[in-house]
Amino acid sequence: MRSEISPQTTATATVTATATQTLQPVVRAVVFDLDGVLVDSFAVMYEAFAIAYKEVVGDGPAPFEEYTRHLGRYFPDIMRIMGLPLEMEEPFVRESYRLAPQVPVFDGIVELLTTLRVRGLRLAVATGKSGPRARSLLDQLGLLPFFDHVIGSDEVAHPKPAPDIVEHALDLMGFSPEEAVMVGDAATDIASAHGAGVASAGALWALSDAGELLAAEPGVVLRRPADLLALCPSVPGV
């Protein structure tokens, strides 16, 4: 059954558009961040980070709160910013794989992705994770078939907040920046979209404090996944 935008959904998307950037019509492609947008990986991330910190650094509280301020970046880059050993990556990745089945998909995401595909849009993921780890997680959660491409930070020359990963997604799908929107929950996502000349949408459903995201000036703010549908009508001729 073909899902359509309800008047309430349209009104919600209109009301929640807050930033100064004007969002251009999006009719062909959506590039999603992964963590905090499609999946709620926060608890698993915390456990993996704590184990990696204890194994490599030793006893004491793992600085997870500081780590979360850099989400969206590639893990080795975060370690460099925080002054932590790069050796933490191996146990962090190992535990992330082990705990992946515990990661929940946000409510409304499956319905959103299904409707976008029915409407003829092409979909990609551009994530701070490595490509293999992102594809493995999406496969385990049954989301991988929705996406034409899943790109990790290890698969571009410069990860977020640089525009490379968004530009690469568009190149693979064959679209211009004007034909796409990037959906993210972090300032790095918005910066990457801006650098690529792509319209940006800030996802609020996982955030307790949206201040940093809003300060990055996304073109529109989405309070729930379904709000994106008001911006993505059916692709003509599909």
Side-chain angles (χ1 to χ4, degrees):
M1 179 176 178
R2 189 185 181 108
S3 300
E4 299 294 337
I5 306 171
S6 68
Q8 180 181 3
T9 300
T10 304
T12 301
T14 301
V15 168
T16 56
T18 61
T20 56
Q21 176 191 351
T22 301
L23 188 65
Q24 298 299 316
V26 177
V27 295
R28 295 191 180 278
V30 182
V31 181
F32 290 92
D33 179 44
L34 177 53
D35 298 295
V37 175
L38 301 175
V39 301
D40 186 2
S41 54
F42 190 84
V44 161
M45 198 180 298
Y46 174 82
E47 184 172 349
F49 186 82
I51 291 172
Y53 186 86
K54 185 173 183 179
E55 285 188 14
V56 176
V57 179
D59 294 333
F64 186 70
E65 183 176 349
E66 181 182 355
Y67 174 77
T68 61
R69 292 200 291 269
H70 305 294
L71 291 181
R73 295 178 182 269
Y74 192 30
F75 188 85
D77 292 341
I78 298 177
M79 294 300 94
R80 294 185 186 97
I81 292 170
M82 294 179 65
L84 291 174
L86 293 178
E87 289 79 10
M88 281 184 61
E89 182 178 20
E90 188 280 326
F92 179 80
V93 170
R94 181 196 70 221
E95 293 303 308
S96 296
Y97 272 112
R98 181 179 67 85
L99 298 167
Q102 300 178 26
V103 175
V105 178
F106 281 114
D107 291 343
I109 287 297
V110 171
E111 293 81 0
L112 169 65
L113 298 177
T114 299
T115 303
L116 290 173
R117 296 303 307 215
V118 167
R119 292 181 178 181
L121 282 91
R122 303 278 297 280
L123 309 179
V125 170
T127 175
K129 280 181 164 60
S130 70
R133 189 153 66 93
R135 290 185 286 271
S136 174
L137 176 61
L138 289 168
D139 189 32
Q140 289 188 61
L141 300 178
L143 299 181
L144 190 59
F146 286 109
F147 298 100
D148 297 285
H149 301 282
V150 176
I151 307 161
S153 289
D154 61 323
E155 296 169 332
V156 293
H158 305 287
K160 303 173 193 174
D164 301 36
I165 197 165
V166 177
E167 292 172 343
H168 188 42
L170 297 183
D171 287 344
L172 289 173
M173 292 188 290
F175 294 117
S176 67
E178 295 75 21
E179 296 175 295
V181 62
M182 169 74 183
V183 182
D185 69 319
T188 50
D189 300 318
I190 306 307
S192 186
H194 288 176
V198 171
S200 57
L204 295 187
W205 48 88
L207 298 178
S208 58
D209 182 359
E212 186 175 349
L213 175 66
L214 297 178
E217 298 188 346
V220 67
V221 171
L222 310 174
R223 300 191 180 278
R224 57 190 183 116
D227 289 348
L228 182 63
L229 295 176
L231 309 174
C232 300
S234 296
V235 176
V238 175

